[in-house]
Every structure is written in structure tokens, then in C-alpha cells.
């Protein structure tokens, strides 16, 4: 067939090729194999497509190869092939096989009925030539330039600098004896840290530090290997038992970090479940997103806390299809809260399992620090011993809990808690658990001590939540825009990456206050912010200095205040109606804070009774506060 006519056939078949110039089409056709090693479109693309004997012929042109990959024209080509094959079969009953231009390639059939190909066949010769070229050693005698690796690195960094998303790491050295103080690269330069994830100051708690020192003296610094090879100790087992009891689950498994825990668990579980479908909240952490990608499972992303959207997606699949709903209890950059009861109800309705990330909630919520799921059943959890399952509780409805030892517990590491069979399956199959050195004994000992301490103490949670309320109130009075939420996170909206970085730098260099700016990809472009996390150790004087410094920076940089955002229609809850905000934040309607007034009173009364009616004061010695005040004057 004439090459131009052949290309016209493909051109008309595809709405995309129809827009392609004839010169480009001719170039693709000429790139096909023809003659001894190359065949033109007329003897490759069209003839082969109509030949039922040689469907795998290697003379396929680049044009046909590309067209076959096209999601539009590809199915048409395959359908036409089927029709052509049927016609050829019918014609074969009326004409000799030699009517096929490639029939001469077939000498005869072997005993199994497989065609024997003639060595003189140009098709075979072309394939043999290609195979020989592939087997030939690559020559390095040419003057061809090697790939410019450094240019690529520099181009990627230039892109980060260009969109203002490049990340600068400040040299901040937290001082255990002066929590929440730190020094910068200059040890004499003392700053107040307002953005640490060591939410309760447990990293410097003497109970935790002493336990780590004892383990260090007895067992040394390192674990000695993976859990399978010399790295499994009594402290690992005890830590996992403590975590299982905390979440009232059958078993727990400890990982080197919660990023690894999420990645390893989701990827291992969902790749094992046949035809699994994952439903992921739009604001989920990168570790869960990574696990979803690595699982290879089909996924749907539902709008943040949007139950109607989630149900719409779930309803597309039969109850028999394995499903996993992945979401968080406290979203770290917005402070919003996952709709745990409603999501668990949807999971039950549609036959899904729930995967709840409590990373920013463990230690912080519930009477024992098990997280938001425990906090929903505060009174029942308060009266039930740790480890005892509570029938009908929200904790019992969650299938898999994941958490961290590196935030409120003040150490490092991550974990999951679930049924014993699920935990054992992850232990047996997850590469992220199997092939990595286990946590060192001092880390395990410190984590056990921290979990036990926070399970019995309400002082730190009471102080932290009280300070959060006071700071949010002060910022609201100053018109500083805080993203509304019922949790301990205080996100201050800036809305521009460059100016968020400038605000952070000014606070540090001019006011000795460290608050990190947050930009893309951690938050969407246009929602850049400063993320503030009050602790039990932040005094009233520190809080007053922070609010004054933010007010000054907002004035100097001309940043929008709450009223400005409201005039513009609002953004991520700031300047929006209360109804919209409540739908976004995810907690109980009409309840401003997760720690409600009567729960804070209970925590205060409990601590005063435990300490012999001693008032609860900020978790920082008065003498240290005096030293800090003196250095800040």
C-alpha cells in the first residue's frame, strides 16, 4: 500500500493524529524497520495489521507502535485487527495461504504445530540484526559528553528558590534545663521556641531521662541489629506491650519512625489485599501518601473531612471489595480533627477497615493520652483500667492505629496497634520493619517511661491546653489570623511563602522568638503560615512577648489580619462563617475545644488531689523564668 495512503488511514482513525502534520507522520513511519533491518509503513503498519499469521512481527513502525499506545485509537486498532483476522480466516478457505505476503516466511509446522520460520525471511533477519546489536558491547571511544548531573541538581534547587519553597534549617539547640528555651549557633544567644513538636516537654522529664541513662549504662547505646538478628530485646517487647495496652488493642509493633510505620504498613497491607481500594483524606500526611503509592492499590482522595464525598466514593464498590480508609485524628498543619465516629460508621456500612493516624494526638488527648479516639469516650476511659477493652467505645471501632514516640512522648520512633494477626502479618512481610536496625535500648526505655508517666499524669495536658486557649484568645484580640480548630495547634495564616519566611526571620533575629514558617508542599500555595505550638512550660510573660512580636511583624510587613481575610471572602477557615468553620474543623458542633471545660476541671482537681492540693503552675521552675526574663530585657 502507498505509504501516504496508509498514514491517511491512521490519521483519520485518531483525533490526535488528525492534527499532526504529514511531515511528522512520515518521520514516524520512516523510523520503522524496513528491508534487511527496516520496513516501511506500507509493508509493516498496514500489512501487518491485516495479517493474522504474523501478529507479533517485529517490523512494526514507530507510528503504529505509538498509535497502539494511544487510549483513543489503540482500542480501535485492536478491534480492526480482530475484524481483519476474521476476514482473513474466511478468505483462507477460498485462497492459498501464499496470498499473505509473509506466508513465504513459514516453511512448515513442527510437531507441536508451531510455525517454523525461514531464515531468508526479511522479518527474521531484521530481528536477528537487532538482537545482535543489543548483544554487542557498548563502545566508549566516542567523544560523546556524559550526562551533566550537577546541572540537574542546580536546576532543581533553582526551581525551589524561584517559587520561594526552598527550606532553610535554623540552628536551634534546645536546652533541657531551660525548656522551652534554646540557643542558636551562638551559644550565648538564647531564644524561646514556640514551634516544637515536643508538645509536653517530655524530652527533658527527669523520669524519662533517668530511665534512658539506666538503660544506656546497662545495655549500651545501640540495638545491635534488626529485630530478627540480635536486635530484639525485652525492652522492645515491653514497649510494644505498653502501646497495645494504651490503645486497648491486642498487639503493637514498633518502627524506627512513624513515617516508616505508615509507609511500610499501608504498602504491605494493601498490596496483600486482593483488588484493594484505598480512600485517603486530601490532607493526609506524606507518609501515608507514600505508603499508598508503594502499595500499587487503586485509590480515591476525598475532600478533607467531607463525609458525603467519602460515602459517594465508597458506594461505587461492592461490600466484598477490600477497602481501607486512611485519615488522621489531628491534622498537624491546620489543627483540624478527623471525623472519627462518622468515618468508622461509613467503614462498617461499606465493608472497609479504618486506618487512623494519631501521631499528633497521642499523649495529648484522652485521660491516659491514647489520643482523640480515647477522648471521645473520656469518662468511660477514665474509669476503665488501661489495657481493658471498652465495649461500644470508639477505640474499639478503629481497626488500625498508628502513632509516634517522637512528639508528645518526647523520644523517637513510630508504631502501629491493631489485632494480633494483622500486626504479626506486618511483622512478617513489611520490608520497612524487617530490614532495618531496631530502636536502641535507651530509646525503648525512655519511651516506656514517658508512656507510663503521661498515662498517670494530667498536669502536662492541663497546662498545655490552658496555654493554648489563652494564646488563641490573645491573638484573636490582636486581629492576628489563626486558622480555627479545636486542637493544640495554632496556625497563623500569612498566605505568601516569601513573607512567611520574612516573618519567621524577623521574629528570630529581632525578638529572639523561633517560629518556623510552613510553605508548599506541606501546605497549599496561598495558605503559607506560621505554626505555633504552646507547651506546658510557656509562661504568661513569654506569651505576652510572642503576641507583641507578632503584632509588630504584622504591622511592618503589612500582612493581612483577620478582618482583611474576612473582607476577601476568607481562606482555610479564617474570616469565614462559623458554620463553614465547624464543618471544616471536624469536632463536635458548638464545642470550641476538644478539651472541654469540665474535663479541664477534672484534670486540675485530679492533679491537685494527687499533689496534696498544690496549685498547678507552668512546668518551668520560677528561678529559670527569672533568668529568662532577665536575659530578654
Amino acid at each position: 500500500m502507498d505509504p501516504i495512503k496508509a498514514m491517511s488511514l491512521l490519521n483519520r482513525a485518531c483525533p490526535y493524529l488528525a492534527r499532526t502534520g504529514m511531515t511528522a507522520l512520515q518521520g514516524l513511519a520512516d523510523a520503522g524497520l524496513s528491508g534487511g533491518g527496516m520496513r516501511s509503513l506500507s509493508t509493516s503498519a498496514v500489512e501487518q495489521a491485516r495479517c493474522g499469521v504474523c501478529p507479533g512481527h517485529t517490523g512494526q513502525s514507530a507510528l503504529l507502535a505509538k498509535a497502539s499506545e494511544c487510549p483513543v485509537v489503540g482500542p480501535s486498532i485492536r478491534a480492526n485487527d480482530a475484524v481483519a483476522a476474521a476476514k482473513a480466516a474466511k478468505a483462507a478457505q477460498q485462497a492459498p495461504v501464499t496470498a499473505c505476503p509473509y506466508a513465504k516466511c513459514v516453511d512448515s509446522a513442527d510437531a507441536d504445530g508451531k510455525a517454523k520460520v525461514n531464515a531468508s525471511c526479511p522479518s527474521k533477519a531484521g530481528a536477528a540484526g537487532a538482537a545482535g546489536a543489543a548483544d554487542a558491547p557498548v563502545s566508549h571511544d566516542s567523544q560523546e559528553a556524559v550526562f551533566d548531573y550537577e546541572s540537574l541538581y542546580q536546576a532543581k534547587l533553582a526551581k525551589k528558590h524561584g517559587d520561594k519553597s526552598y527550606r532553610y534549617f535554623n540552628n536551634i539547640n534546645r536546652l533541657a534545663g531551660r525548656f522551652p528555651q534554646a540557643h542558636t549557633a551562638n551559644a550565648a544567644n538564647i531564644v524561646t521556641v514556640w514551634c516544637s513538636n515536643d508538645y509536653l516537654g517530655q524530652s527533658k522529664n527527669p523520669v524519662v531521662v533517668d530511665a534512658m541513662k539506666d538503660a544506656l549504662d546497662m545495655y549500651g547505646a545501640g540495638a545491635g541489629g534488626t529485630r530478627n538478628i540480635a536486635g530484639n530485646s525485652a525492652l522492645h517487647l515491653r514497649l510494644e506491650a505498653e502501646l497495645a495496652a494504651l490503645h486497648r488493642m491486642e498487639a503493637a509493633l514498633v518502627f524506627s519512625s512513624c513515617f516508616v510505620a505508615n509507609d511500610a504498613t499501608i504498602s504491605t497491607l494493601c498490596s496483600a489485599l486482593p483488588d484493594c481500594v484505598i480512600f485517603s483524606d486530601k490532607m493526609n500526611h506524606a507518609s501515608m501518601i507514600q505508603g499508598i503509592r508503594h502499595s500499587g492499590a487503586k485509590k480515591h482522595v476525598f475532600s478533607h473531612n467531607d463525609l458525603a464525598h467519602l460515602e459517594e466514593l465508597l458506594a461505587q464498590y461492592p461490600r466484598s471489595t477490600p477497602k481501607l480508609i486512611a485519615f488522621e485524628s489531628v491534622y498537624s498543619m491546620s489543627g483540624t480533627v478527623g471525623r472519627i465516629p462518622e468515618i468508622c460508621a461509613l467503614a462498617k456500612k461499606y465493608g472497609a477497615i479504618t486506618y487512623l493516624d494519631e501521631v499528633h494526638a497521642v499523649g495529648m488527648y484522652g485521660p491516659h493520652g491514647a489520643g482523640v479516639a480515647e477522648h471521645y469516650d473520656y469518662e468511660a476511659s477514665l474509669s476503665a483500667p488501661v489495657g481493658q477493652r471498652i465495649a461500644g467505645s470508639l477505640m474499639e471501632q478503629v481497626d488500625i492505629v498508628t502513632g509516634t514516640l517522637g512528639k508528645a512522648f518526647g523520644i523517637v520512633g513510630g508504631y502501629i496497634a491493631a489485632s494480633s494477626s494483622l500486626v504479626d502479618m506486618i511483622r512478617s512481610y513489611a520490608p520497612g520493619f524487617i530490614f532495618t536496625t531496631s530502636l536502641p535500648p535507651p530509646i525503648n526505655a525512655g519511651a516506656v517511661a514517658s508512656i507510663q508517666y503521661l498515662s498517670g499524669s494530667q498536669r502536662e495536658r492541663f497546662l498545655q491546653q490552658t496555654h493554648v486557649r489563652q494564646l488563641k484568645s490573645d491573638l484573636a484580640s490582636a486581629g492576628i489570623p489563626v486558622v480555627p480548630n479545636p486542637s493544640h495547634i495554632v496556625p497563623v495564616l500569612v498566605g505568601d511563602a516569601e513573607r512567611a519566611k520574612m516573618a519567621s526571620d524577623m521574629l528570630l533575629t529581632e525578638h529572639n522568638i523561633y517560629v518556623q514558617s510552613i510553605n508548599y508542599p506541606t501546605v497549599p500555595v496561598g495558605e503559607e503560615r506560621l505554626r505555633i505550638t504552646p507547651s506546658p512550660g510557656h509562661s504568661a510573660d513569654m506569651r505576652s512577648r510572642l503576641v507583641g512580636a507578632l503584632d509588630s511583624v504584622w504591622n511592618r510587613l503589612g500582612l493581612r489580619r483577620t478582618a482583611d481575610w474576612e473582607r476577601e471572602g476568607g481562606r482555610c477557615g479564617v474570616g469565614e462563617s462559623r458554620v463553614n468553620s465547624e464543618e471544616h474543623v471536624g469536632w463536635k458542633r458548638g464545642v470550641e475545644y476538644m478539651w472541654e471545660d469540665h474535663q479541664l476541671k477534672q484534670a486540675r482537681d485530679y492533679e491537685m488531689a494527687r499533689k496534696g492540693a498544690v496549685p498547678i503552675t507552668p512546668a518551668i521552675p520560677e528561678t529559670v523564668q527569672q533568668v529568662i526574663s532577665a536575659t530578654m530585657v
Side-chain angles (χ1 to χ4, degrees), residues 303-322:
S303 300
H304 179 52
N305 273 343
D306 191 331
L307 299 172
H309 188 202
L310 173 59
E311 182 163 19
E312 177 187 341
L313 295 171
L314 286 166
Q316 297 177 18
Y317 299 90
R319 280 178 54 83
S320 58
T321 299

Side-chain angles (χ1 to χ4, degrees), residues 246 248 341 361 363-386 388 390-396 454-463 465 469 587-588 591 593-607 616:
L246 177 68
R248 305 179 193 272
M364 305 290 291
Y365 298 94
H368 304 293
V372 177
E374 182 188 42
H375 206 84
Y376 266 102
D377 297 298
Y378 189 93
E379 298 301 329
S381 299
L382 186 64
S383 59
V386 173
Q388 177 179 304
I390 305 172
S393 68
L394 187 58
M395 295 179 76
E396 196 173 47
L454 288 177
S455 180
S457 174
Q458 295 279 40
R459 179 174 180 269
E460 289 72 19
R461 287 188 283 271
F462 170 82
L463 287 170
Q465 291 292 329
R469 288 188 176 204
W587 189 238
K588 303 172 185 176
V591 180
Y593 295 103
M594 277 195 284
W595 273 92
E596 300 178 43
D597 291 344
H598 70 279
Q599 293 168 348
L600 285 177
K601 182 179 184 302
Q602 182 278 327
R604 176 181 175 277
D605 293 345
Y606 170 82
E607 281 301 314
I616 302 176

Side-chain angles (χ1 to χ4, degrees), residues 235-518:
L235 283 172
H236 288 93
L237 302 177
R238 184 176 179 187
L239 174 56
E240 288 169 345
E242 289 287 344
L243 290 167
L246 177 68
H247 292 285
R248 305 179 193 272
M249 292 285 194
E250 293 178 355
L253 192 66
V254 174
F255 294 79
S256 55
S257 74
C258 199
F259 191 106
V260 175
N262 280 337
D263 183 10
T265 303
I266 294 176
S267 61
T268 302
L269 174 61
C270 295
S271 61
L273 293 171
D275 301 319
C276 179
V277 183
I278 302 173
F279 302 84
S280 175
D281 189 286
K282 182 180 180 180
M283 288 177 58
N284 274 345
H285 190 262
S287 58
M288 285 195 280
I289 295 171
Q290 191 81 335
I292 293 168
R293 287 173 179 162
H294 288 164
S295 74
K298 185 175 182 178
K299 74 173 185 302
H300 292 284
V301 178
F302 60 93
S303 300
H304 179 52
N305 273 343
D306 191 331
L307 299 172
H309 188 202
L310 173 59
E311 182 163 19
E312 177 187 341
L313 295 171
L314 286 166
Q316 297 177 18
Y317 299 90
R319 280 178 54 83
S320 58
T321 299
K323 310 172 196 71
L324 180 139
I325 305 174
F327 62 112
E328 300 182 35
S329 60
V330 175
Y331 290 85
S332 62
M333 294 300 146
S334 64
T336 54
V337 180
R339 297 188 178 278
I340 306 175
E342 296 90 340
I343 290 177
C344 286
L346 286 175
K348 183 177 181 180
K349 180 178 179 180
Y350 290 98
I353 58 175
T354 49
Y355 187 96
L356 176 62
D357 183 311
E358 290 258 31
V359 162
H360 290 272
V362 289
M364 305 290 291
Y365 298 94
H368 304 293
V372 177
E374 182 188 42
H375 206 84
Y376 266 102
D377 297 298
Y378 189 93
E379 298 301 329
S381 299
L382 186 64
S383 59
V386 173
Q388 177 179 304
R389 303 202 67 149
I390 305 172
S393 68
L394 187 58
M395 295 179 76
E396 196 173 47
Q397 299 174 46
V398 176
D399 295 292
I400 307 166
V401 172
T402 178
T404 185
L405 305 170
K407 293 182 171 58
F409 291 130
I411 317 294
V412 70
Y415 64 90
I416 62 168
S419 68
S420 57
S421 56
L422 185 143
V423 167
D424 199 18
M425 192 270 282
I426 299 300
R427 182 191 70 85
S428 302
Y429 284 92
F433 172 80
I434 297 171
F435 301 106
T436 188
T437 300
S438 62
L439 291 179
I443 297 297
N444 294 322
V448 169
S450 185
I451 294 166
Q452 291 179 340
Y453 176 88
L454 288 177
S455 180
S457 174
Q458 295 279 40
R459 179 174 180 269
E460 289 72 19
R461 287 188 283 271
F462 170 82
L463 287 170
Q464 199 271 343
Q465 291 292 329
T466 301
H467 294 171
V468 166
R469 288 188 176 204
Q470 292 168 340
L471 178 60
K472 286 184 176 181
S473 176
D474 291 349
L475 292 175
S477 298
I480 303 297
V482 175
V483 177
N485 67 75
S487 73
H488 61 283
I489 310 293
V490 186
V492 177
L493 180 63
V494 177
D496 178 83
E498 185 172 17
R499 295 205 290 173
K501 175 68 167 58
M502 292 172 64
S504 175
D505 290 344
M506 289 173 64
L507 288 170
L508 184 61
T509 58
E510 299 178 17
H511 299 276
N512 285 4
I513 291 173
Y514 174 48
V515 180
Q516 183 62 43
S517 60
I518 308 296

